Amino acid sequence: MSDNPRSAAEADLAFLRAIVQGGPNGRASLTMGVAYLAGGLLYGLQCLFHIGQVWGVIRWPDLADLAFVVAISLAFLAVLTWAVLTDRKAGTAPVQTRTLNAAFSATGMANLAIVIMFGVGAARDQDFAIWLYYPAAIFALQSAAWYVAYTLRRKGWMLACSIGGWITAVALGLLVRHGDIYLYVCTAALFLLFAAPGWIMVRDARARRTA
């Protein structure tokens, strides 16, 4: 333990920044950026697909609709698997690895709890609108995560993501009975608050690796 409180505090802050930035080579930021980018693009595409159904442009058989939705989730799962395996091969420092794994596990546990709550509630009450609160809750969690990232790195776009996630969560929560508008808001948010930040993280990580 350091005898100098200021030095200890600076060391702790440097450690937290290293976690957020993904270490010296930006590997964690790169893989996380790819995951965000893929998630925003894939699920944004799925929302566009549903908008096409609302407009009557897409009229596929029910089985084809289900296959498309399942394919989107499988594609995203493949990207997440790649990200996890890539991080392990990169030889991340043990403490950083445990911290990142804990963060992902905590987020996964929270998402699972939310899925169960709203999924069971929607099935029990036979009301699909209850399920639509799930994405709203996810954006609220993302808003909190981006605010933590902003306090560590002081990047304006991170604060914008936090504010945007909060606004999106509230908007979606108020629009669950207005399916078409709900889809428009969710589609825009996926591209702006997931895909766009993912692209920024990928760009910045690649720049640090080549610097």
Side-chain angles (χ1 to χ4, degrees):
M1 182 174 180
S2 174
D3 294 331
N4 189 332
R6 180 175 179 180
S7 297
E10 290 175 348
D12 291 341
L13 183 57
F15 168 71
L16 292 174
R17 283 177 175 167
I19 293 173
V20 174
Q21 294 172 356
N25 62 358
R27 168 57 67 181
S29 293
L30 177 62
T31 53
M32 185 178 295
V34 170
Y36 264 84
L37 179 60
L41 293 177
L42 287 171
Y43 287 108
L45 176 62
Q46 181 178 331
C47 284
L48 289 176
F49 175 80
H50 292 315
I51 290 175
Q53 290 179 315
V54 171
W55 289 354
V57 177
I58 299 176
R59 298 179 180 178
W60 291 3
D62 291 342
L63 185 58
D65 291 343
L66 178 60
F68 177 82
V69 172
V70 171
I72 291 291
S73 293
L74 289 178
F76 183 58
L77 179 61
V79 173
L80 287 181
T81 301
W82 168 86
V84 172
L85 294 177
T86 301
D87 277 341
R88 288 181 179 177
K89 291 179 180 179
T92 308
V95 176
Q96 291 185 359
T97 300
R98 290 197 298 270
T99 303
L100 290 171
N101 287 342
F104 279 116
S105 297
T107 301
M109 290 173 61
N111 288 345
L112 179 60
I114 293 172
V115 167
I116 294 173
M117 287 187 296
F118 291 119
V120 171
R124 179 194 60 208
D125 298 339
Q126 295 296 303
D127 187 354
F128 183 70
I130 294 177
W131 172 250
L132 295 181
Y133 284 108
Y134 165 66
I138 296 303
F139 277 105
L141 290 174
Q142 289 296 315
S143 172
W146 280 121
Y147 185 76
V148 171
Y150 168 73
T151 60
L152 293 173
R153 296 193 61 187
R154 295 296 176 180
K155 298 287 186 179
W157 65 269
M158 292 180 173
L159 180 60
C161 286
S162 177
I163 296 174
W166 189 91
I167 293 174
T168 299
V170 173
L172 292 180
L174 297 175
L175 292 171
V176 293
R177 301 293 178 180
H178 305 275
D180 52 346
I181 304 177
Y182 181 100
L183 273 175
Y184 301 151
V185 172
C186 195
T187 302
L190 283 167
F191 285 118
L192 293 175
L193 300 178
F194 274 82
W199 177 80
I200 292 174
M201 284 189 283
V202 170
R203 181 199 63 188
D204 291 349
R206 289 171 64 90
R208 284 199 299 273
R209 293 179 67 186
T210 57

